């Protein structure tokens, strides 16, 4: 189910609506798995109560449930859909065993974790890692251009370090349907429960949006040279 943001607030109405529809049709022995990116606690604090209320059944007893985040990289020739390790979690041991068994028939590797909150957090860590590094390397590209440094050569040089470095290259900004959104799920959750902020300047700048005018200027300059 899609999990968009509305004015900076996670909109889980699609998940809620689907849970009610499923709950009305849920039968003993069924297994429900959420794959939508969301904040830690969604499966057990939101999805599960709706399923139980709509079905009259008890999660972990009458039916099984868990969270298994999607990992899709369209156009990636190295990592196929079924070749990408699949995180799996459940609301209990029985749920985990059932969910792992299901995905074992689809994916080459499944990676069980101790609970749904861990799997939910893991997905956000994956997205935030990319968000932060894309934002950072785009800022480095702008600084390098101002300083007269070839950022591509500098990145190539840095990438010769065999540890402690992951190569990211400059681009038109943080894009896609998930990366600009996913980190804000955690930000919202932290603000709600802890009353604080967790992100640095590039994150608060929504992925370093200052890269856009820089990008446009570079494109115009390149076009005028041709």
């Amino acid at each position: 189910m899609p999990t968009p943001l509305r004015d900076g607030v996670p909109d889980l109405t699609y998940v809620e609506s689907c849970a009610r529809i499923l709950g009305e049709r849920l039968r003993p022995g069924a297994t429900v798995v959420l794959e939508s990116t969301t904040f830690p606690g969604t499966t057990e604090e939101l999805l599960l109560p709706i399923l139980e209320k709509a079905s009259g059944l008890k999660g972990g007893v009458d039916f099984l449930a868990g969270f298994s985040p999607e990992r899709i990289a369209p156009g990636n020739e190295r990592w196929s859909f079924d070749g990408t390790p699949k995180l799996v979690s459940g609301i209990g041991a029985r749920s985990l065993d059932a969910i792992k068994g299901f995905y074992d028939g689809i994916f080459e590797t499944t990676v069980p974790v101790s609970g749904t909150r861990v799997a939910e957090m893991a997905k956000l860590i994956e997205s935030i890692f990319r968000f932060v590094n894309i934002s950072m390397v785009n800022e480095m590209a702008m600084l390098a251009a101002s300083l007269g440094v070839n950022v591509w050569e500098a990145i190539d040089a840095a990438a010769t370090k065999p540890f402690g470095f992951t190569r990211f290259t400059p681009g038109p900004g943080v894009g896609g349907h998930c990366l600009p959104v996913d980190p804000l799920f955690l930000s919202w959750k932290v603000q709600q429960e802890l009353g604080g902020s967790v992100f640095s300047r590039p994150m608060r700048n929504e992925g370093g949006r200052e890269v856009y005018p820089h990008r446009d200027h570079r494109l115009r300059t390149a076009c005028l040279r041709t």
Side-chain angles (χ1 to χ4, degrees), residues 94-140:
R94 286 181 58 216
S95 292
L96 177 60
D97 288 344
I99 293 167
K100 183 179 185 304
F102 171 75
Y103 284 115
D104 279 342
I106 302 173
F107 293 87
E108 296 175 9
T109 304
T110 55
V111 183
V113 297
S114 61
T116 58
R117 294 174 69 90
V118 172
E120 290 161 342
M121 187 70 174
K123 172 61 178 179
L124 293 181
I125 291 173
E126 294 170 17
S127 294
I128 291 169
F129 175 82
R130 293 174 63 194
F131 190 112
V132 169
N133 281 283
I134 292 170
S135 300
M136 181 275 294
V137 78
N138 280 334
E139 290 203 12
M140 292 299 103

Short mmCIF file of all heavy atoms in Angstrom, two decimals, residues 94-140:
data_model
loop_
_atom_site.label_atom_id
_atom_site.label_comp_id
_atom_site.label_asym_id
_atom_site.label_seq_id
_atom_site.Cartn_x
_atom_site.Cartn_y
_atom_site.Cartn_z
N ARG A 94 5.66 -17.97 15.61
CA ARG A 94 4.85 -18.67 14.60
C ARG A 94 4.68 -17.81 13.36
O ARG A 94 4.75 -18.32 12.22
CB ARG A 94 3.48 -19.01 15.18
CG ARG A 94 3.47 -20.17 16.17
CD ARG A 94 2.04 -20.43 16.65
NE ARG A 94 1.17 -20.74 15.53
CZ ARG A 94 -0.11 -20.34 15.46
NH1 ARG A 94 -0.63 -19.59 16.41
NH2 ARG A 94 -0.85 -20.68 14.42
N SER A 95 4.44 -16.52 13.55
CA SER A 95 4.28 -15.63 12.41
C SER A 95 5.58 -15.55 11.61
O SER A 95 5.57 -15.61 10.37
CB SER A 95 3.88 -14.23 12.88
OG SER A 95 2.58 -14.22 13.42
N LEU A 96 6.69 -15.42 12.30
CA LEU A 96 7.98 -15.34 11.62
C LEU A 96 8.25 -16.60 10.80
O LEU A 96 8.68 -16.53 9.64
CB LEU A 96 9.10 -15.11 12.63
CG LEU A 96 10.53 -15.09 12.05
CD1 LEU A 96 10.67 -13.99 11.01
CD2 LEU A 96 11.56 -14.91 13.17
N ASP A 97 8.00 -17.76 11.38
CA ASP A 97 8.23 -19.02 10.67
C ASP A 97 7.38 -19.10 9.41
O ASP A 97 7.86 -19.52 8.34
CB ASP A 97 7.93 -20.21 11.58
CG ASP A 97 8.97 -20.40 12.67
OD1 ASP A 97 10.06 -19.80 12.54
OD2 ASP A 97 8.69 -21.12 13.65
N ALA A 98 6.11 -18.71 9.52
CA ALA A 98 5.21 -18.78 8.36
C ALA A 98 5.62 -17.81 7.27
O ALA A 98 5.63 -18.14 6.08
CB ALA A 98 3.78 -18.52 8.80
N ILE A 99 5.97 -16.59 7.67
CA ILE A 99 6.34 -15.57 6.70
C ILE A 99 7.66 -15.91 6.04
O ILE A 99 7.82 -15.77 4.81
CB ILE A 99 6.39 -14.19 7.39
CG1 ILE A 99 4.98 -13.78 7.80
CG2 ILE A 99 7.01 -13.13 6.48
CD1 ILE A 99 4.92 -12.59 8.75
N LYS A 100 8.61 -16.40 6.83
CA LYS A 100 9.89 -16.82 6.25
C LYS A 100 9.68 -17.97 5.26
O LYS A 100 10.26 -17.98 4.17
CB LYS A 100 10.87 -17.24 7.34
CG LYS A 100 12.26 -17.61 6.81
CD LYS A 100 13.19 -17.99 7.93
CE LYS A 100 14.61 -18.24 7.42
NZ LYS A 100 14.69 -19.26 6.37
N GLY A 101 8.84 -18.91 5.62
CA GLY A 101 8.58 -20.04 4.74
C GLY A 101 7.96 -19.60 3.43
O GLY A 101 8.29 -20.14 2.36
N PHE A 102 7.07 -18.62 3.49
CA PHE A 102 6.44 -18.11 2.27
C PHE A 102 7.47 -17.46 1.36
O PHE A 102 7.56 -17.78 0.16
CB PHE A 102 5.35 -17.10 2.63
CG PHE A 102 4.79 -16.37 1.45
CD1 PHE A 102 3.92 -17.01 0.57
CD2 PHE A 102 5.14 -15.05 1.21
CE1 PHE A 102 3.39 -16.33 -0.53
CE2 PHE A 102 4.62 -14.37 0.12
CZ PHE A 102 3.75 -15.02 -0.76
N TYR A 103 8.27 -16.56 1.91
CA TYR A 103 9.24 -15.83 1.09
C TYR A 103 10.43 -16.71 0.67
O TYR A 103 11.08 -16.41 -0.33
CB TYR A 103 9.72 -14.58 1.81
CG TYR A 103 8.72 -13.46 1.80
CD1 TYR A 103 8.14 -13.01 2.99
CD2 TYR A 103 8.33 -12.85 0.61
CE1 TYR A 103 7.21 -11.98 2.99
CE2 TYR A 103 7.40 -11.82 0.60
CZ TYR A 103 6.85 -11.38 1.79
OH TYR A 103 5.93 -10.37 1.78
N ASP A 104 10.69 -17.78 1.41
CA ASP A 104 11.75 -18.72 0.99
C ASP A 104 11.44 -19.32 -0.37
O ASP A 104 12.35 -19.72 -1.10
CB ASP A 104 11.90 -19.85 2.02
CG ASP A 104 12.74 -19.45 3.22
OD1 ASP A 104 13.48 -18.45 3.12
OD2 ASP A 104 12.64 -20.13 4.27
N GLY A 105 10.16 -19.38 -0.71
CA GLY A 105 9.77 -19.92 -2.00
C GLY A 105 9.88 -18.92 -3.14
O GLY A 105 9.66 -19.28 -4.30
N ILE A 106 10.21 -17.67 -2.81
CA ILE A 106 10.30 -16.61 -3.82
C ILE A 106 11.72 -16.07 -3.94
O ILE A 106 12.21 -15.87 -5.06
CB ILE A 106 9.33 -15.47 -3.48
CG1 ILE A 106 7.89 -15.99 -3.39
CG2 ILE A 106 9.45 -14.33 -4.50
CD1 ILE A 106 6.90 -14.95 -2.90
N PHE A 107 12.36 -15.85 -2.80
CA PHE A 107 13.67 -15.21 -2.79
C PHE A 107 14.78 -16.22 -2.52
O PHE A 107 14.58 -17.21 -1.82
CB PHE A 107 13.70 -14.10 -1.73
CG PHE A 107 12.81 -12.94 -2.05
CD1 PHE A 107 11.47 -12.95 -1.66
CD2 PHE A 107 13.28 -11.84 -2.73
CE1 PHE A 107 10.63 -11.89 -1.97
CE2 PHE A 107 12.45 -10.77 -3.04
CZ PHE A 107 11.12 -10.80 -2.65
N GLU A 108 15.96 -15.91 -3.08
CA GLU A 108 17.10 -16.79 -2.87
C GLU A 108 17.56 -16.77 -1.41
O GLU A 108 18.02 -17.80 -0.88
CB GLU A 108 18.26 -16.36 -3.78
CG GLU A 108 17.96 -16.50 -5.26
CD GLU A 108 19.07 -15.95 -6.13
OE1 GLU A 108 20.14 -15.60 -5.57
OE2 GLU A 108 18.88 -15.84 -7.35
N THR A 109 17.42 -15.62 -0.77
CA THR A 109 17.87 -15.47 0.62
C THR A 109 16.83 -14.68 1.42
O THR A 109 16.39 -13.62 0.98
CB THR A 109 19.21 -14.72 0.69
OG1 THR A 109 20.18 -15.40 -0.10
CG2 THR A 109 19.71 -14.64 2.14
N THR A 110 16.44 -15.19 2.57
CA THR A 110 15.61 -14.43 3.50
C THR A 110 16.42 -14.17 4.76
O THR A 110 17.24 -14.99 5.18
CB THR A 110 14.32 -15.18 3.86
OG1 THR A 110 14.65 -16.47 4.38
CG2 THR A 110 13.42 -15.34 2.64
N VAL A 111 16.18 -13.00 5.35
CA VAL A 111 16.92 -12.59 6.54
C VAL A 111 15.94 -12.32 7.66
O VAL A 111 15.31 -11.25 7.72
CB VAL A 111 17.76 -11.33 6.25
CG1 VAL A 111 18.59 -10.95 7.49
CG2 VAL A 111 18.64 -11.52 5.05
N PRO A 112 15.74 -13.26 8.58
CA PRO A 112 14.80 -13.04 9.68
C PRO A 112 15.38 -12.11 10.74
O PRO A 112 16.58 -12.16 11.03
CB PRO A 112 14.59 -14.45 10.24
CG PRO A 112 15.84 -15.20 9.87
CD PRO A 112 16.32 -14.61 8.58
N VAL A 113 14.54 -11.24 11.28
CA VAL A 113 14.94 -10.37 12.38
C VAL A 113 13.98 -10.58 13.55
O VAL A 113 12.94 -11.22 13.41
CB VAL A 113 14.97 -8.88 11.96
CG1 VAL A 113 16.02 -8.66 10.87
CG2 VAL A 113 13.61 -8.42 11.47
N SER A 114 14.32 -10.03 14.69
CA SER A 114 13.64 -10.39 15.94
C SER A 114 12.22 -9.86 16.06
O SER A 114 11.43 -10.38 16.84
CB SER A 114 14.46 -9.90 17.14
OG SER A 114 14.60 -8.48 17.10
N GLY A 115 11.89 -8.80 15.31
CA GLY A 115 10.55 -8.25 15.44
C GLY A 115 10.22 -7.28 14.34
O GLY A 115 11.10 -6.85 13.57
N THR A 116 8.96 -6.89 14.25
CA THR A 116 8.52 -6.01 13.17
C THR A 116 9.13 -4.61 13.26
O THR A 116 9.42 -3.99 12.25
CB THR A 116 6.99 -5.89 13.17
OG1 THR A 116 6.53 -5.38 14.43
CG2 THR A 116 6.34 -7.26 12.91
N ARG A 117 9.33 -4.12 14.48
CA ARG A 117 9.91 -2.78 14.63
C ARG A 117 11.34 -2.74 14.10
O ARG A 117 11.77 -1.71 13.54
CB ARG A 117 9.87 -2.34 16.09
CG ARG A 117 8.46 -2.15 16.63
CD ARG A 117 8.47 -1.86 18.12
NE ARG A 117 9.03 -0.55 18.42
CZ ARG A 117 8.32 0.57 18.49
NH1 ARG A 117 7.02 0.54 18.31
NH2 ARG A 117 8.91 1.71 18.76
N VAL A 118 12.08 -3.83 14.27
CA VAL A 118 13.44 -3.90 13.73
C VAL A 118 13.41 -3.84 12.21
O VAL A 118 14.19 -3.11 11.59
CB VAL A 118 14.15 -5.19 14.20
CG1 VAL A 118 15.50 -5.35 13.49
CG2 VAL A 118 14.35 -5.17 15.71
N ALA A 119 12.51 -4.60 11.59
CA ALA A 119 12.41 -4.61 10.13
C ALA A 119 11.95 -3.25 9.60
O ALA A 119 12.45 -2.78 8.58
CB ALA A 119 11.45 -5.71 9.68
N GLU A 120 11.02 -2.62 10.30
CA GLU A 120 10.54 -1.30 9.88
C GLU A 120 11.67 -0.28 9.96
O GLU A 120 11.84 0.56 9.07
CB GLU A 120 9.36 -0.87 10.75
CG GLU A 120 8.09 -1.68 10.51
CD GLU A 120 7.09 -1.60 11.64
OE1 GLU A 120 7.47 -1.20 12.77
OE2 GLU A 120 5.92 -1.97 11.41
N MET A 121 12.46 -0.35 11.04
CA MET A 121 13.57 0.57 11.21
C MET A 121 14.67 0.30 10.19
O MET A 121 15.29 1.24 9.66
CB MET A 121 14.14 0.44 12.63
CG MET A 121 15.20 1.47 12.98
SD MET A 121 14.49 3.13 13.13
CE MET A 121 15.91 4.05 13.72
N ALA A 122 14.91 -0.96 9.89
CA ALA A 122 15.95 -1.32 8.92
C ALA A 122 15.68 -0.70 7.56
O ALA A 122 16.59 -0.19 6.90
CB ALA A 122 16.05 -2.84 8.80
N LYS A 123 14.41 -0.75 7.14
CA LYS A 123 14.06 -0.15 5.85
C LYS A 123 14.33 1.34 5.84
O LYS A 123 14.85 1.89 4.85
CB LYS A 123 12.58 -0.44 5.54
CG LYS A 123 12.05 0.29 4.33
CD LYS A 123 12.79 -0.09 3.05
CE LYS A 123 12.19 0.63 1.84
NZ LYS A 123 12.89 0.30 0.59
N LEU A 124 14.01 2.02 6.93
CA LEU A 124 14.27 3.46 7.00
C LEU A 124 15.76 3.75 7.00
O LEU A 124 16.22 4.71 6.38
CB LEU A 124 13.61 4.05 8.24
CG LEU A 124 12.08 4.06 8.26
CD1 LEU A 124 11.57 4.69 9.54
CD2 LEU A 124 11.52 4.80 7.05
N ILE A 125 16.54 2.93 7.69
CA ILE A 125 18.00 3.11 7.69
C ILE A 125 18.55 2.99 6.28
O ILE A 125 19.41 3.77 5.86
CB ILE A 125 18.67 2.10 8.64
CG1 ILE A 125 18.33 2.42 10.10
CG2 ILE A 125 20.19 2.09 8.43
CD1 ILE A 125 18.81 1.38 11.09
N GLU A 126 18.07 2.00 5.53
CA GLU A 126 18.52 1.83 4.15
C GLU A 126 18.26 3.09 3.33
O GLU A 126 19.15 3.58 2.61
CB GLU A 126 17.79 0.65 3.50
CG GLU A 126 18.10 -0.70 4.10
CD GLU A 126 17.17 -1.79 3.57
OE1 GLU A 126 16.51 -1.55 2.53
OE2 GLU A 126 17.10 -2.87 4.19
N SER A 127 17.05 3.62 3.43
CA SER A 127 16.68 4.79 2.64
C SER A 127 17.41 6.05 3.11
O SER A 127 17.87 6.86 2.30
CB SER A 127 15.16 5.02 2.71
OG SER A 127 14.45 3.96 2.09
N ILE A 128 17.52 6.21 4.43
CA ILE A 128 18.19 7.39 4.97
C ILE A 128 19.67 7.39 4.61
O ILE A 128 20.26 8.44 4.33
CB ILE A 128 17.98 7.48 6.49
CG1 ILE A 128 16.50 7.79 6.78
CG2 ILE A 128 18.87 8.54 7.12
CD1 ILE A 128 16.12 7.64 8.24
N PHE A 129 20.29 6.22 4.61
CA PHE A 129 21.69 6.10 4.21
C PHE A 129 21.90 6.66 2.81
O PHE A 129 22.82 7.44 2.55
CB PHE A 129 22.12 4.63 4.26
CG PHE A 129 23.52 4.38 3.76
CD1 PHE A 129 24.61 4.60 4.58
CD2 PHE A 129 23.74 3.92 2.47
CE1 PHE A 129 25.90 4.37 4.12
CE2 PHE A 129 25.02 3.69 2.00
CZ PHE A 129 26.11 3.91 2.82
N ARG A 130 21.03 6.29 1.89
CA ARG A 130 21.15 6.77 0.51
C ARG A 130 20.81 8.26 0.43
O ARG A 130 21.48 9.02 -0.27
CB ARG A 130 20.22 5.97 -0.40
CG ARG A 130 20.62 4.52 -0.54
CD ARG A 130 19.59 3.73 -1.34
NE ARG A 130 19.47 4.24 -2.69
CZ ARG A 130 18.46 3.92 -3.50
NH1 ARG A 130 17.47 3.14 -3.07
NH2 ARG A 130 18.43 4.40 -4.74
N PHE A 131 19.77 8.67 1.15
CA PHE A 131 19.35 10.07 1.15
C PHE A 131 20.49 10.98 1.60
O PHE A 131 20.83 11.97 0.94
CB PHE A 131 18.15 10.21 2.09
CG PHE A 131 17.45 11.55 2.02
CD1 PHE A 131 16.17 11.63 1.51
CD2 PHE A 131 18.05 12.71 2.49
CE1 PHE A 131 15.50 12.85 1.46
CE2 PHE A 131 17.39 13.93 2.43
CZ PHE A 131 16.11 14.00 1.93
N VAL A 132 21.09 10.65 2.73
CA VAL A 132 22.16 11.47 3.30
C VAL A 132 23.37 11.52 2.37
O VAL A 132 23.94 12.59 2.12
CB VAL A 132 22.57 10.93 4.69
CG1 VAL A 132 23.85 11.60 5.17
CG2 VAL A 132 21.45 11.15 5.70
N ASN A 133 23.75 10.38 1.82
CA ASN A 133 24.96 10.33 0.99
C ASN A 133 24.76 10.99 -0.37
O ASN A 133 25.69 11.62 -0.89
CB ASN A 133 25.43 8.89 0.83
CG ASN A 133 26.19 8.40 2.05
OD1 ASN A 133 27.34 8.75 2.25
ND2 ASN A 133 25.53 7.61 2.88
N ILE A 134 23.56 10.86 -0.95
CA ILE A 134 23.29 11.57 -2.20
C ILE A 134 23.31 13.08 -1.95
O ILE A 134 23.88 13.85 -2.73
CB ILE A 134 21.93 11.13 -2.80
CG1 ILE A 134 22.01 9.69 -3.28
CG2 ILE A 134 21.53 12.05 -3.94
CD1 ILE A 134 20.66 9.09 -3.67
N SER A 135 22.68 13.50 -0.86
CA SER A 135 22.67 14.93 -0.51
C SER A 135 24.10 15.43 -0.28
O SER A 135 24.47 16.51 -0.75
CB SER A 135 21.83 15.16 0.74
OG SER A 135 20.50 14.76 0.56
N MET A 136 24.89 14.63 0.44
CA MET A 136 26.25 15.04 0.75
C MET A 136 27.11 15.17 -0.49
O MET A 136 27.81 16.17 -0.68
CB MET A 136 26.88 14.02 1.72
CG MET A 136 28.30 14.34 2.15
SD MET A 136 29.58 13.75 1.00
CE MET A 136 29.39 11.97 1.17
N VAL A 137 27.06 14.17 -1.39
CA VAL A 137 27.93 14.22 -2.56
C VAL A 137 27.51 15.33 -3.51
O VAL A 137 28.36 15.94 -4.19
CB VAL A 137 27.97 12.85 -3.28
CG1 VAL A 137 26.73 12.62 -4.14
CG2 VAL A 137 29.24 12.72 -4.11
N ASN A 138 26.22 15.67 -3.55
CA ASN A 138 25.79 16.80 -4.37
C ASN A 138 26.30 18.12 -3.80
O ASN A 138 26.68 19.02 -4.54
CB ASN A 138 24.27 16.83 -4.47
CG ASN A 138 23.75 15.84 -5.50
OD1 ASN A 138 24.45 15.48 -6.44
ND2 ASN A 138 22.51 15.40 -5.33
N GLU A 139 26.33 18.23 -2.48
CA GLU A 139 26.90 19.43 -1.86
C GLU A 139 28.40 19.51 -2.12
O GLU A 139 28.95 20.58 -2.36
CB GLU A 139 26.61 19.46 -0.37
CG GLU A 139 25.14 19.69 -0.05
CD GLU A 139 24.93 20.25 1.34
OE1 GLU A 139 25.92 20.68 1.97
OE2 GLU A 139 23.77 20.27 1.79
N MET A 140 29.08 18.35 -2.07
CA MET A 140 30.52 18.33 -2.36
C MET A 140 30.78 18.76 -3.80
O MET A 140 31.76 19.45 -4.09
CB MET A 140 31.08 16.92 -2.14
CG MET A 140 31.12 16.44 -0.70
SD MET A 140 32.14 17.47 0.39
CE MET A 140 30.85 18.42 1.24
#
